[in-house]
Amino acid sequence: MNHYKSWSALNRRLTDRLCPALRGRITYFLTRYHTVHNAYGRAAIRMDGREIVYFAWPAIYRQESDLRRLWEETSQWSYDDPTLRETWNREAVYCETDFLRAATAFLDLPIEAALGSDDPIIRILAILDRRVGRRTLQKIRQQAPDLPPWVRQFYDLRLSTM
């Protein structure tokens, strides 16, 4: 994961990238529970104060369980296993560290690379980005039906601002 100095600085950078129509409506949230084992936490993307999607530490247990099952079946332990990634992408099985990793990576990517990323969190951040113009949004419109519902809602939201 790329390093970030503070959540407030990272949040400000993400918020500065939002398209004008969604500024003040979309907010990013992160908290860490320092008294909990391994300082787990929770991240969320909110619209008008309501959480649209969240990423929390119980997802770590789901990922570990899936990895353990993969290990028992194939003797492989890989977070990059295509079958696991597809399941996690479809069901939004991500924790706050996945969100942080995606957010810091997104800030270093050109917008075209972010829109084409395999990481759905990076794609969400990209679709909400002010650098995505009307023509790109019209091209993206055809991709939206193929996405999981939790990702598609961000595409629908951004397309509604056209």
Side-chain angles (χ1 to χ4, degrees):
M1 176 168 51
N2 295 341
H3 183 71
Y4 68 99
K5 283 190 174 191
S6 71
W7 166 243
S8 60
L10 181 61
N11 186 21
R12 187 172 36 257
R13 289 182 67 198
L14 290 171
T15 302
D16 288 346
R17 294 254 177 119
L18 284 172
C19 72
L22 296 175
R23 267 205 199 135
R25 296 188 68 198
I26 295 287
T27 56
Y28 303 105
F29 169 80
L30 175 74
T31 190
R32 288 287 175 99
Y33 306 113
H34 296 286
T35 58
V36 176
H37 175 69
N38 287 341
Y40 292 137
R42 188 170 193 284
I45 301 174
R46 298 174 173 167
M47 179 164 166
D48 299 329
R50 184 182 60 85
E51 284 188 359
I52 299 177
V53 66
Y54 70 92
F55 313 98
W57 60 271
I60 293 171
Y61 296 121
R62 166 76 189 276
Q63 289 177 350
E64 294 295 321
S65 173
D66 290 347
L67 284 166
R68 197 172 304 111
R69 190 173 56 255
L70 177 69
W71 173 259
E72 290 169 357
E73 293 171 1
T74 66
S75 298
Q76 295 178 6
W77 185 276
S78 173
Y79 281 94
D80 295 324
D81 180 75
T83 307
L84 291 181
R85 278 280 156 208
E86 182 181 326
T87 301
W88 296 342
N89 289 346
R90 185 179 60 251
E91 298 173 9
V93 181
Y94 293 105
C95 63
E96 81 284 353
T97 55
D98 293 323
F99 175 77
L100 282 171
R101 180 193 39 74
T104 56
F106 165 72
L107 292 171
D108 292 336
L109 288 174
I111 194 63
E112 296 82 17
L115 286 168
S117 174
D118 291 335
D119 187 326
I121 301 171
I122 292 176
R123 290 180 76 174
I124 287 170
L125 296 172
I127 197 68
L128 300 175
D129 195 291
R130 69 174 186 256
R131 298 173 290 171
V132 177
R134 184 176 298 269
R135 284 180 292 204
T136 304
L137 285 172
Q138 289 170 344
K139 289 178 191 173
I140 287 173
R141 188 181 299 249
Q142 290 84 24
Q143 296 174 355
D146 299 333
L147 299 170
W150 72 278
V151 176
R152 189 174 47 241
Q153 66 185 343
F154 290 97
Y155 278 69
D156 294 342
L157 173 66
R158 183 62 198 275
L159 290 169
S160 72
T161 64
M162 285 185 16

